Amino acid sequence: MAEGEVPGDYIITRRDLHDVFFLVGSEKKEKISTIKCFLANYSPVFRSMLLETNMKERNSEELIKIPNHEPDVFNLMLSYVYGDQNLKFVDAAQAMRFHALVDQYLMTKLKAVSLYYLMKNCLNICDVLTCLVILDIKEMRNRALLTLYEKSISFLESEEFKLLDVRIVEFILNLKHLDIEEIHLWRALLSWAKHNCGNSTMQVESGDESDEPAAKKQCTRENGLEGDAQKAEGASLRKTLGSLLYYVRFLAMSLKEFAEEVVKTSILTDYEMTRMFVALASGKPHGLKYLSEEGKRYPTVFVLEFKGYTTEESNFSNLIHIIQVKNRRLRLKSVNLTNVLSHFYVNLEKNNSKVSTFGPFSNCTSFTLDIILEANQSYDLVFETRSSSYSIYASQCEPHHSCNYCTVVNSSSCIKSLTFIVS
């Protein structure tokens, strides 16, 4: 390549060599031409479409329409296949659109480029959730859950939440582990439904009957009751919510919350509300198969406390705790100690090999680790001094400390509690 020449410039300018033509974009369409073999080299989908099958695109001189992607990311894709592998994205939004394009056409090398950028630059909670749920970037799951945990209430109350894709809202409502009271989820869901319900239904200009939604006018004319207009609005909201309503855990609410914040919306029918009141008051199932019977969600964060300590202390140069993780991936966030320890290190080991080392820590009663523990695996959490001048003071305690997510086995310990996040 000549000095100063940009990769792909020659191919772009030699339009006489181009043998396939696309019309790319939804609103702003752009005609883009290229050479089939370049696309076929990177994409088995394009290879099949343009070279190996009897699909009409193979020999057609007509424009191949790609309406679900925009010209800017299509041109970025072409830049890469022409040889420019140092792509520069304008922002995370463009990188996400690029990722969707190359994912559709199974362009593995290009997906790695956008994935690297997104993992480094995608920090906004909406972008992270879009990557996880819409683009199916599983590497974003832990980041999404941690961000939800840290910003749960402020995010639910934000304008951004109202703009979420329904698939992301469904993902959040379907989480079994979430440190958010159900009433906060309900308020956010109701706000989302009002925003996404058709404007002609939700917003009525006073004094102009022609702008009133038909359902509301019909109910009002038939009965002359304000309550019927409310029911019409409730029915409209229920239609907007669709299957999302069935993820709401009404049984996790208090009677007062249900009465004051759910009943007034008229989203549930009179029969459903009656059954729900009975269930909340009696603790028995409501018997409505199409509404959730689930109670409160499990905490995202949990603390495993060590119990049964004796008063007798012993000195150790190293101290081992075996952490047996059950069927959920965990993040060990922090360690609280029973007393002040001076100058020690902490190692995380798996199968007698070190995974991570932390420290030195000095004169502290707690410290942060922030390490991932995979499901159905066993780890050793090892305290060590690395110097004969220091010792670890520990006491005998219960040999097993267990919960729904893990079991810790030890003979003596200096740990008061471990804090985990379920991921």
Side-chain angles (χ1 to χ4, degrees), residues 132-329:
L132 173 63
V133 180
I134 309 301
L135 300 180
D136 195 31
I137 300 178
K138 293 180 173 57
E139 293 87 344
M140 285 286 186
R141 181 176 178 83
N142 194 59
R143 184 181 299 181
L145 294 178
L146 282 173
T147 309
L148 273 176
Y149 163 65
E150 292 170 355
K151 302 179 179 179
S152 56
I153 301 300
S154 61
F155 175 56
L156 292 177
E157 295 176 348
S158 69
E159 291 297 315
E160 290 178 309
F161 186 88
K162 298 177 184 178
L163 303 176
L164 289 180
D165 185 286
V166 64
R167 291 167 290 178
I168 298 176
V169 178
E170 181 180 22
F171 169 81
I172 295 172
L173 291 175
N174 199 30
L175 289 173
K176 294 182 179 179
H177 298 263
L178 199 59
D179 277 335
I180 302 174
E181 293 292 334
E182 201 68 22
I183 192 62
H184 292 300
L185 284 172
W186 172 252
R187 290 167 184 162
L189 185 61
L190 188 61
S191 179
W192 179 90
K194 288 180 178 179
H195 179 82
N196 289 279
C197 196
N199 289 333
S200 60
T201 303
M202 293 309 302
Q203 296 180 3
V204 179
E205 294 292 336
S206 60
D208 188 351
E209 184 180 353
S210 63
D211 287 337
E212 286 189 37
K216 179 177 178 180
K217 288 192 288 185
Q218 182 66 26
C219 287
T220 304
R221 285 168 180 167
E222 287 180 356
N223 302 297
L225 299 174
E226 183 180 347
D228 290 312
Q230 178 62 47
K231 286 185 178 181
E233 185 174 320
S236 182
L237 288 172
R238 181 163 183 153
K239 184 178 180 181
T240 301
L241 290 171
S243 62
L244 294 179
L245 186 64
Y246 310 137
Y247 293 103
V248 180
R249 302 187 177 198
F250 293 111
L251 296 184
M253 299 180 186
S254 67
L255 269 169
K256 185 174 185 292
E257 288 170 342
F258 184 79
E260 294 182 355
E261 302 203 39
V262 178
V263 171
K264 69 178 183 180
T265 65
S266 297
I267 290 174
L268 298 183
T269 66
D270 292 344
Y271 176 74
E272 289 168 341
M273 287 188 285
T274 300
R275 297 298 305 166
M276 206 64 71
F277 270 124
V278 172
L280 285 167
S282 65
K284 296 179 180 179
H286 52 59
L288 302 168
K289 294 182 180 179
Y290 45 86
L291 292 179
S292 174
E293 292 272 14
E294 298 283 349
K296 289 187 176 182
R297 299 168 196 269
Y298 297 108
T300 307
V301 177
F302 72 94
V303 177
L304 182 64
E305 295 185 350
F306 285 44
K307 299 179 180 179
Y309 274 105
T310 64
T311 57
E312 183 178 349
E313 286 188 341
S314 301
N315 297 339
F316 297 86
S317 58
N318 65 68
L319 203 57
I320 301 174
H321 302 77
I322 303 172
I323 304 177
Q324 299 168 341
V325 185
K326 298 182 182 179
N327 61 355
R328 291 298 301 267
R329 189 187 197 207

Side-chain angles (χ1 to χ4, degrees), residues 115-135:
L115 176 61
Y116 177 80
Y117 178 92
L118 289 169
M119 291 301 296
K120 186 176 180 180
N121 296 280
C122 195
L123 302 175
N124 175 277
I125 186 169
C126 292
D127 291 344
V128 172
L129 287 168
T130 299
C131 286
L132 173 63
V133 180
I134 309 301
L135 300 180

Side-chain angles (χ1 to χ4, degrees), residues 39 59 70 77 241 306 328 350 376 384 395 412 421:
L39 293 177
N59 299 309
E70 298 305 317
M77 178 266 290
L241 290 171
F306 285 44
R328 291 298 301 267
K350 181 181 179 182
N376 303 308
E384 63 176 7
S395 303
S412 295
I421 291 179

Side-chain angles (χ1 to χ4, degrees), residues 14-62:
R14 286 298 305 272
R15 294 187 180 276
D16 57 307
L17 301 176
H18 293 190
D19 56 2
V20 63
F21 305 88
F22 298 91
L23 185 63
V24 184
S26 52
E27 296 182 1
K28 294 183 179 180
K29 300 179 176 64
E30 182 178 328
K31 183 179 177 181
I32 300 174
S33 61
T34 185
I35 300 172
K36 293 178 182 178
C37 289
F38 281 96
L39 293 177
N41 186 48
Y42 280 90
S43 166
V45 177
F46 279 126
R47 188 181 310 140
S48 178
M49 177 191 299
L50 303 174
L51 299 178
E52 296 177 354
T53 72
N54 292 322
M55 296 176 67
K56 66 177 183 178
E57 287 87 349
R58 177 176 177 180
N59 299 309
S60 175
E61 294 183 0
E62 295 181 6

